[in-house]
Amino acid sequence: MATNENTPVRTAVITGGARGFGKAFGDALARQGVHVVLVDRDSAAVEAAAAAIRAAGGSAEGLAGDVTDETRMAEVMAQAAKAHGGIDILINNAGLHSDEYGQPILKMGLAKVRRLFEVNVIGVVACTLAARPHMQGRAGASMVNISSSAAHMGGSAYGDSKLAVAGLTITLARELAPDGIRVNAISPGLILTDTIRAELPEATKARVKAMQMSQEDGEEADIVEAMLWLTSRKAKFVTGEVLRVTGGMAAGV
Ligand SMILES: NC(=O)c1ccc[n+]([C@@H]2O[C@H](COP(=O)([O-])OP(=O)(O)OC[C@H]3O[C@@H](n4cnc5c(N)ncnc54)[C@H](O)[C@@H]3O)[C@@H](O)[C@H]2O)c1
């Protein structure tokens, strides 16, 4: 859906936008005519992802930065807001979930657990605080945090960091409602993004898939569709929710 001269152009900031879900979110929003600002600590890859959107006819910029860096995130959000006078969508997607950070606490030790929570949890707060002044009062403003099926299943530090993301989603939804900003989360199940495809042993993939109800493989497109709905006017009455897109793996009440 392209915009026309009567439709104000929306701006979306997507953290962890260089690859995986973040890149797919950027591609999909750009196809809807949204100006996309990809943020990632991998500067070469984030610029390449933005250049690919531009080459396909979309509007995008790639900015380097670590989501835990409060000063840099303030600069990034101010830069993103310049194009169209503010920010309409923030996707807090950057996260550590590689094999290195999926280990038991006893194996990882304090430094790695601290970094895991710093990126996955504090990064969400840092970006939200930095984006808020640019989102206040924008019609239809909304944020989507990326949690995980692991949050609902217990038993890993990674899952615990994502459980904190689910909790923060409700807290931030309440605190930002007076600003007219909706805040929701998506908990993806196992989705074969490049990181997962490269790192997850086949046996683990099979074990995880056996926990699903659905016989289907989860795809990036499933998570993209959930994001598009949550950030659209169709979800105007939805805030403080955690939407599980897990093929039934993390079902529960
Ligand atoms: N792929 C899955 O099956 C799955 C399932 C559930 C949840 N998730 C969550 O979805 C999100 C994206 O997953 P993905 O598979 O696309 O990951 P990915 O590893 O492919 O991409 C993550 C991106 O985030 C960036 N990043 C990491 N730390 C950063 C930091 N401190 N500051 C800025 N950028 C940073 C990386 O450079 C990378 O480009 C993560 O939060 C992950 O925990 C993924």
Side-chain angles (χ1 to χ4, degrees):
M1 185 188 75
T3 54
N4 62 40
E5 62 201 27
N6 300 316
T7 316
V9 177
R10 293 186 296 161
T11 293
V13 176
I14 302 161
T15 70
R19 56 179 63 77
F21 290 159
K23 184 168 180 295
F25 292 153
D27 292 345
L29 285 166
R31 279 196 297 272
Q32 294 203 335
V34 176
H35 173 65
V36 167
V37 181
L38 305 175
V39 183
D40 205 288
R41 63 177 177 183
D42 185 338
S43 55
V46 78
E47 182 39 49
I53 290 177
R54 291 193 296 269
S59 172
E61 37 188 324
L63 300 177
D66 190 306
V67 292
T68 65
D69 181 342
E70 186 181 7
T71 308
R72 179 64 187 141
M73 286 307 107
E75 290 168 2
V76 158
M77 299 304 168
Q79 170 66 27
K82 273 187 194 160
H84 300 285
I87 299 170
D88 302 282
I89 296 168
L90 171 65
I91 316 271
N92 282 312
N93 164 76
L96 296 175
H97 70 125
S98 60
D99 191 42
E100 191 185 355
Y101 289 95
Q103 300 297 319
I105 290 173
L106 297 183
K107 197 168 166 191
M108 277 196 286
L110 184 58
K112 274 202 182 138
V113 174
R114 182 173 275 144
R115 179 68 183 159
L116 179 70
F117 276 75
E118 183 75 10
V119 175
N120 290 9
V121 183
I122 301 302
V124 172
V125 180
C127 292
T128 299
L129 290 175
R132 178 187 172 232
H134 306 287
M135 296 182 77
Q136 283 172 306
R138 301 274 289 186
S142 94
M143 300 184 181
V144 174
N145 302 325
I146 304 302
S147 180
S148 170
S149 53
H152 311 281
M153 302 172 83
S156 69
Y158 168 72
D160 296 338
S161 74
K162 293 297 189 176
L163 185 57
V165 172
L168 278 171
T169 298
I170 299 168
T171 303
L172 292 170
R174 184 174 294 283
E175 294 197 18
L176 297 182
D179 293 332
I181 303 170
R182 294 183 298 108
V183 185
N184 292 290
I186 300 170
S187 283
L190 181 68
I191 309 287
L192 298 181
T193 54
D194 289 346
T195 305
I196 297 282
R197 203 175 274 118
E199 290 198 350
L200 206 67
E202 285 302 324
T204 312
K205 277 182 218 163
R207 186 175 52 77
V208 172
K209 192 163 176 202
M211 291 192 281
Q212 292 179 192
M213 297 178 195
S214 173
Q215 301 298 303
E216 305 254 2
D217 282 328
E219 298 174 353
E220 268 176 13
D222 297 313
I223 310 307
V224 168
E225 286 302 319
M227 178 280 297
L228 289 175
W229 177 69
L230 282 172
T231 56
S232 76
R233 274 296 284 170
K234 291 177 188 162
K236 68 181 172 46
F237 199 49
V238 180
T239 193
E241 290 295 340
V242 180
L243 177 58
R244 303 171 203 210
V245 184
T246 69
M249 176 168 57
V253 287

